[in-house]
Amino acid sequence: MPLALLALAVGAFGIGTTEFVMMGLLPQVAADLGVSIPSAGHLISAYALGVVVGAPLLAAVTARMERRRVLLWLMGLFIVGNGLSALAPDHTWLLAARFLSGLPHGAFFGVGSVVATTLVAPEKRARSVAMMLTGLTVANIVGVPVGTLLGQELGWRATFGAVCLIGVAAVAALALLVPREERTARTAAPVGLRGEMAALRSVSVWLVLATTVVGGSALFSAFSYITPMLTDAAGYAEASVTLVLSLFGVGATIGNLVGGRLADRSPRGTIFAGLATMTVTLLLYPVLMETRAGGAAAVLMLGVAGFTLGAPLQLMVMTRAASAPSLASSANQAAFNLANAGGAWVGGLALAAGLGVTSPAPVGAVLAVLGLGVAGLSLLADRREHRTGRVVATHLPSPDGAPARAE
């Protein structure tokens, strides 16, 4: 794999760290700024809102820029947002800084996915996307635990300062390793904002985005409440939860890499297999959470099943919006963050109804089945487009302007 993919993974590692580390720092932030933990929790929502707003917006307004330059500007905005977070004098300032930090998130993964696919042969494009996303999954194994520990020992501001340094390293790696785009016939006349938005009129694109929202909600319905499941059901001490949760990152890394390899053979088949595996896994949660060993296995299995979907969904939405892959793949990242919020809300409804501490998992299984249904509708929509003569591509155009291969 090209070294440029390593540069993209470094940027993904920094983004993943700053996104999830706030969950471990909430007590320190709340105490330092004099707010309640629920109020401090709004900092997580502010970041997610920044992702949802920034992903399609920044991808669209930078449509005419060289993609390497876009990545550098996005990482620059990432550094500024985290620097302002480290310097925040009060809760309001930190809310604004977290929103700013979230703005480049989706656009970076969207544009980065397109860049990654141009660096490899067509039969390895899903694997190239998976290699970039590995930075995000490894952040859950290394970046978040280390960042949480750093915040506990030196204060939460030190954590965001360290994230800024990761951003600087990512900028250096991107500048050195990612090649400049050749000004070919394809890149010399970018589609612009109107062309990017027109690509989102496709029913096929929206059905893939809907699969991301529903399938992702299944994942987060359970994962949002994994800590009380581990402590109240599996019997883990609170001090042990962080170590057990690192298994989720391990599973996510495995699922991401396996999903990328499988998606190069059959993106749609990988999506169906991932959603089916997630359904079975979530249905087993009430039984697995009866023991510590079962709880650890459940966390690992959820990571594998959930992140098997990342690369194939990203690749499918890009190929179904081949004239505007940056905007489409960025929109897919916004959809994933909507799934984060939606899944947590649905899982919370099960808890509020008194259905038990593990009840969000079976609810997530129902969502996974719905995701299978949406994926099936996507298949039918593609077949109908074939019958009407509108060919759906399975590969993006090559950097030299060669046409996409038809499905």
Side-chain angles (χ1 to χ4, degrees):
M1 287 290 181
L3 285 176
L5 293 178
L6 176 61
L8 294 171
V10 173
F13 177 82
I15 290 174
T17 299
T18 200
E19 178 181 16
F20 296 111
V21 77
M22 180 57 75
M23 299 174 186
L25 296 177
L26 282 183
Q28 288 78 24
V29 173
D32 186 54
L33 298 182
V35 299
S36 66
I37 288 182
S39 294
H42 295 159
L43 298 168
I44 298 173
S45 302
Y47 184 93
L49 180 61
V51 177
V52 173
V53 172
L57 178 63
L58 292 180
V61 299
T62 58
R64 293 185 177 273
M65 294 176 60
E66 181 201 18
R67 292 186 180 118
R68 175 179 175 273
R69 181 177 297 178
V70 173
L71 292 172
L72 292 171
W73 277 105
L74 291 173
M75 286 310 302
L77 183 59
F78 170 84
I79 294 170
V80 170
N82 283 279
L84 291 174
S85 296
L87 299 173
D90 54 41
H91 184 242
T92 302
W93 177 300
L94 188 54
L95 275 173
R98 288 293 289 171
F99 176 81
L100 181 63
S101 299
L103 287 176
H105 176 127
F108 180 88
F109 282 111
V111 177
S113 294
V114 178
V115 171
T117 60
T118 65
L119 298 171
V120 298
E123 65 272 13
K124 295 183 178 180
R125 282 174 168 168
R127 271 173 279 183
S128 72
V129 173
M131 286 299 297
M132 180 190 68
L133 294 177
T134 298
L136 179 64
T137 60
V138 171
N140 284 283
I141 305 173
V142 179
V144 174
V146 172
T148 301
L149 180 62
L150 182 65
Q152 292 171 346
E153 296 295 326
L154 301 179
W156 60 271
R157 298 177 190 276
T159 299
F160 289 108
V163 170
C164 287
L165 295 179
I166 298 173
V168 171
V171 168
L174 291 168
L176 291 173
L177 300 177
V178 176
R180 297 179 183 273
E181 282 185 316
E182 296 181 9
R183 306 307 292 176
T184 63
R186 183 180 68 84
T187 60
V191 296
L193 178 58
R194 181 176 296 179
E196 292 271 343
M197 297 302 294
L200 293 184
R201 296 174 185 169
S202 168
V203 174
S204 293
V205 171
W206 282 103
L207 284 172
V208 177
L209 294 175
T211 304
T212 297
V213 172
V214 181
S217 295
L219 169 66
F220 287 110
S221 176
F223 186 66
S224 299
Y225 303 99
I226 197 69
T227 296
M229 290 187 201
L230 290 171
T231 56
D232 298 349
Y236 278 98
E238 290 187 3
S240 304
V241 169
T242 300
L243 180 61
V244 178
L245 288 181
S246 66
L247 290 175
F248 180 82
V250 173
T253 302
I254 295 171
N256 175 54
L257 295 175
V258 171
R261 182 169 291 274
L262 293 176
D264 278 322
R265 300 178 182 178
S266 174
R268 193 186 302 281
T270 305
I271 291 170
F272 279 117
L275 287 169
T277 303
M278 193 187 306
T279 301
V280 174
T281 298
L282 292 172
L283 287 175
L284 290 174
Y285 253 57
V287 176
L288 292 172
M289 283 292 174
E290 292 179 355
T291 65
R292 293 184 181 182
V299 171
L300 179 68
M301 290 164 58
L302 185 61
V304 173
F307 279 81
T308 298
L309 301 171
L313 283 169
Q314 194 80 346
L315 186 66
M316 283 190 68
V317 77
M318 289 162 59
T319 57
R320 278 145 184 78
S323 64
S326 296
L327 177 58
S329 55
S330 298
N332 193 51
Q333 293 297 314
F336 189 71
N337 276 268
L338 286 174
N340 191 342
W345 177 70
V346 173
L349 291 179
L351 289 176
L355 299 180
V357 70
T358 61
S359 61
V363 171
V366 174
L367 291 172
V369 172
L370 291 176
L372 284 168
V374 177
L377 290 176
S378 176
L379 173 60
L380 293 176
D382 285 351
R383 287 179 174 175
R384 183 168 60 182
E385 289 188 350
H386 278 290
R387 288 196 299 268
T388 58
R390 296 175 60 193
V391 177
V392 179
T394 57
H395 289 289
L396 295 168
S398 301
D400 59 2
R405 196 168 75 201
E407 180 177 36

